């Protein structure tokens, strides 16, 4: 059974074609600059990488091109082989606690929560509509970034603000990266040989976006992102938690609108803001090697806040079996893992500095004596999307 896992952005469309249930990636790729001239269509299958630069005016055309490439390149013989399409959707609000088969009422509900994710949900819907038009007879499933965190208790998800902000406008913590936290926590339980129902896991998803999640018995009990993905840990360009009074203060001092200040917290803060150099961890670690003080501050600040959250989640979970590192930085930047782990030793973790040099593959990176296992687990959101599409398509 072949399933396509899709992640549609406003001008991009990432895809993977998977053979299920063996979870083998048959082809993967990305369409970039959709609706802008010189769009780039890249597809990889086997050892072959096919790249074409051509104007792709919208997502409908991108999807048609993808399907005709799958046939043209002999990756599938007919489109009937594709039995389902799973779509990443960023925000499911409080309505979606699990993935769901898409119909008109689901589309309407995704539209309704778009107010909470104005950049992402409309783009995700564009992808959904394009596939529904091109493949009208296959099951289409929505997989939400927020769904995994719907198990949080009100004590974890409510803010201490006027209660009616929640009842009137849905102001609460939603959390994101749920698909990644779910995948990694389940793999972690397997790696430590415990049923996920009995395991207490902390997942550190450290990429351009960063979020931590406390997973108790397979359920998210707390996570560091909030009402929006701006909250929690400092990221590539996002500030993470700050005193909200700073927003008003800077708005007055710099004569900027609230929108402009929030935009700076989203796009000009984090690594980029503190280092005044780059939002990319590779650039920062190179600069750290040269002794660049602001880059050292940027990576140390992030590691401190990650360690603070790990400590908080250790208490929230009442102990912890494993702490996992995933996503671009978590999987690849051994330096970041090292400076985080150096700050959490008091919990009973013991990083093996040699094992920690591993990049991009599953590995226990703690010593055999470590009371809490430290794990490197490459995330795989596409596989969760494909699994849910199979499950709901039955
Ligand atoms: P993501 O958002 O998960 O794609 O992660 C992007 C981040 O991962 C960027 O900051 C990259 O610099 C970082 N990254 C990717 N590969 C490496 C690597 N080999 N070493 C250090 N950082 C990396």
């Amino acid at each position: 059974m072949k399933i396509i896992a899709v992640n549609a952005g406003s001008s991009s469309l990432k895809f993977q074609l998977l053979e299920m249930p063996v979870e083998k990636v048959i082809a993967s790729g990305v369409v970039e600059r959709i609706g802008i001239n010189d769009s780039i269509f890249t597809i990889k299958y086997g050892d072959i990488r096919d790249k074409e630069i051509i104007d792709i005016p919208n997502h409908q055309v991108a999807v048609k091109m993808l399907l005709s490439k799958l046939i043209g390149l002999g990756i599938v013989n007919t489109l009937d082989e594709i039995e389902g399409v799973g779509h990443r959707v960023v925000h499911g609000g409080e309505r979606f606690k699990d993935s769901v088969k898409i119909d008109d009422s689901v589309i309407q509900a995704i539209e309704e929560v778009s107010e909470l994710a104005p950049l992402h949900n409309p783009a995700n819907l564009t992808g959904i509509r394009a596939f529904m038009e091109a493949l009208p007879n296959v099951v289409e499933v929505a997989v939400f970034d927020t769904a995994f965190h719907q198990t949080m208790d009100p004590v974890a998800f409510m803010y201490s603000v006027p209660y009616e902000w929640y009842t009137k406008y849905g102001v609460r913590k939603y959390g994101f990266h749920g698909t990644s936290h779910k995948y990694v926590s389940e793999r972690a339980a397997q790696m430590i040989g415990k049923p996920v129902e009995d395991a207490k896991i902390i997942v550190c998803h450290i990429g351009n976006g960063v979020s931590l999640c406390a997973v108790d018995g397979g359920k998210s009990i707390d996570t560091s992102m909030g009402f929006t993905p701006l909250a929690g840990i400092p990221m590539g360009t996002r500030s993470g938690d700050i005193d909200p009074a700073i927003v008003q203060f800077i708005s007055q001092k710099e004569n900027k609108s609230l929108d402009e200040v929030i935009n700076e917290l989203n796009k000009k803060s984090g690594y980029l803001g503190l280092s005044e150099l780059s939002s990319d961890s590779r650039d920062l670690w190179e600069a750290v090697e040269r002794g660049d003080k602001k880059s050292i501050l940027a990576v140390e600040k992030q590691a401190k806040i990650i360690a603070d959250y790990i400590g908080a989640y250790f208490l929230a979970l009442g102990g912890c079996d494993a702490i996992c590192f995933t996503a671009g930085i978590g999987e690849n930047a051994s330096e970041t893992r090292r400076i985080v782990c150096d700050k959490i030793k008091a919990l009973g973790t013991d990083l093996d500095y040699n094992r920690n040099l591993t990049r991009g593959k599953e590995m226990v990176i703690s010593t055999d004596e470590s009371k809490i296992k430290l794990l490197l687990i490459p995330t795989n959101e596409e596989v969760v999307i494909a699994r849910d599409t199979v499950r709901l398509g039955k």
Side-chain angles (χ1 to χ4, degrees):
M1 173 191 295
K2 292 184 177 64
I3 302 286
I4 306 181
V6 180
N7 184 353
S10 54
S11 65
S12 69
L13 189 133
K14 284 193 206 132
F15 58 87
Q16 264 192 19
L17 177 71
L18 293 109
E19 183 66 49
M20 298 297 284
V22 290
E23 302 183 347
K24 181 171 178 266
V25 179
I26 305 167
S28 65
V30 58
V31 193
E32 294 159 284
R33 296 175 60 87
I34 298 173
I36 309 167
N37 57 348
D38 293 339
S39 320
I40 311 162
F41 187 108
T42 316
I43 184 164
K44 282 188 275 184
Y45 58 107
D47 296 331
I48 298 164
R49 190 160 182 271
D50 185 89
K51 184 171 171 180
E52 195 174 330
I53 297 182
I54 181 173
D55 287 353
I56 301 177
N58 55 46
H59 286 71
Q60 278 90 331
V61 175
V63 169
K64 282 193 189 123
M65 189 167 164
L66 161 61
L67 297 176
S68 66
K69 285 251 178 204
L70 290 180
I71 295 198
L73 296 168
I75 299 168
V76 298
N77 294 320
T78 79
L79 293 180
D80 295 339
E81 288 173 36
I82 298 162
E83 293 189 46
V85 183
H87 299 267
R88 175 188 186 213
V89 179
V90 165
H91 219 305
E94 287 192 318
R95 156 121 182 225
F96 297 108
K97 300 179 184 343
D98 189 6
S99 304
V100 65
K101 226 170 167 167
I102 302 172
D103 59 19
D104 288 345
S105 75
V106 169
I107 291 188
Q108 202 188 332
I110 296 173
E111 264 167 0
E112 278 163 22
V113 291
S114 284
E115 192 184 36
L116 300 176
L119 297 179
H120 293 102
N121 273 28
N124 302 150
L125 276 171
T126 315
I128 290 174
R129 291 205 176 94
F131 272 96
M132 287 180 93
E133 195 183 301
L135 295 172
N137 299 320
V138 309
V139 59
E140 309 267 343
V141 166
V143 179
F144 301 93
D145 269 25
T146 49
F148 183 62
H149 302 299
Q150 280 294 306
T151 45
M152 282 188 292
D153 189 83
V155 176
F157 75 66
M158 287 298 288
Y159 292 113
S160 289
V161 294
Y163 197 89
E164 64 174 24
W165 291 7
Y166 170 60
T167 43
K168 274 180 156 168
Y169 308 117
V171 170
R172 51 159 285 176
K173 179 189 281 194
Y174 290 98
F176 300 87
H177 293 142
T179 316
S180 174
H181 290 303
K182 179 177 157 73
Y183 174 84
V184 172
S185 54
E186 285 173 5
R187 276 303 300 150
Q190 286 167 349
M191 282 171 77
I192 62 173
K194 253 196 170 183
V196 72
E197 296 75 27
D198 299 334
K200 293 177 184 294
I201 313 271
I202 297 172
V203 181
C204 309
H205 178 114
I206 316 174
N208 247 326
V210 182
S211 78
L212 262 61
C213 184
V215 186
D216 196 356
K219 295 194 165 73
S220 167
I221 63 158
D222 206 351
T223 190
S224 61
M225 280 180 173
F227 178 61
T228 73
L230 179 55
I233 322 282
M235 319 184 197
T237 61
R238 283 173 247 166
S239 62
D241 298 335
I242 62 161
D243 181 339
I246 295 169
V247 176
Q248 184 211 26
F249 181 80
I250 291 299
S251 151
Q252 283 173 354
K253 287 280 176 203
E254 298 246 304
N255 201 16
K256 285 180 174 156
S257 69
L258 292 184
D259 276 7
E260 285 171 309
V261 181
I262 293 289
N263 191 49
E264 296 201 4
L265 293 178
N266 266 308
K267 305 254 173 76
K268 303 227 163 103
S269 302
Y271 279 169
L272 178 63
L274 277 187
S275 70
E276 296 189 313
L277 178 77
S278 171
S279 64
D280 191 294
S281 103
R282 283 164 288 204
D283 297 340
L284 256 57
W285 281 109
E286 247 181 67
V288 169
E289 287 283 297
R290 299 194 301 268
D292 182 78
K293 288 207 168 60
K294 288 180 192 154
S295 297
I296 295 171
L297 176 65
V299 295
E300 285 289 340
K301 178 75 200 179
Q302 183 191 55
K304 176 193 162 17
I305 308 290
I306 291 174
D308 289 351
Y309 269 92
I310 291 175
Y313 290 169
F314 177 86
L315 292 178
L317 288 164
C320 169
D321 298 303
I323 298 170
C324 317
F325 294 90
T326 194
I329 297 170
E331 292 167 24
N332 294 298
S334 54
E335 303 90 337
T336 295
R337 294 193 300 259
R338 175 172 50 76
I339 62 170
V340 169
C341 291
D342 282 348
K343 295 183 197 328
I344 58 170
K345 281 182 182 162
L347 299 177
T349 60
D350 189 22
L351 181 72
D352 182 315
Y353 291 94
N354 239 336
R355 292 177 186 171
N356 183 46
L357 296 177
T358 313
R359 278 180 196 275
K361 63 170 198 231
E362 281 186 3
M363 183 71 141
V364 178
I365 54 171
S366 47
T367 63
D368 297 344
E369 289 74 41
S370 185
K371 277 198 271 177
I372 299 173
K373 296 268 175 269
L374 300 167
L375 306 176
L376 191 178
I377 304 180
T379 195
N380 195 338
E381 291 161 282
E382 290 79 11
V383 107
V384 177
I385 294 174
R387 281 177 195 165
D388 282 2
T389 306
V390 173
R391 171 167 61 91
L392 291 161
K394 275 187 183 143

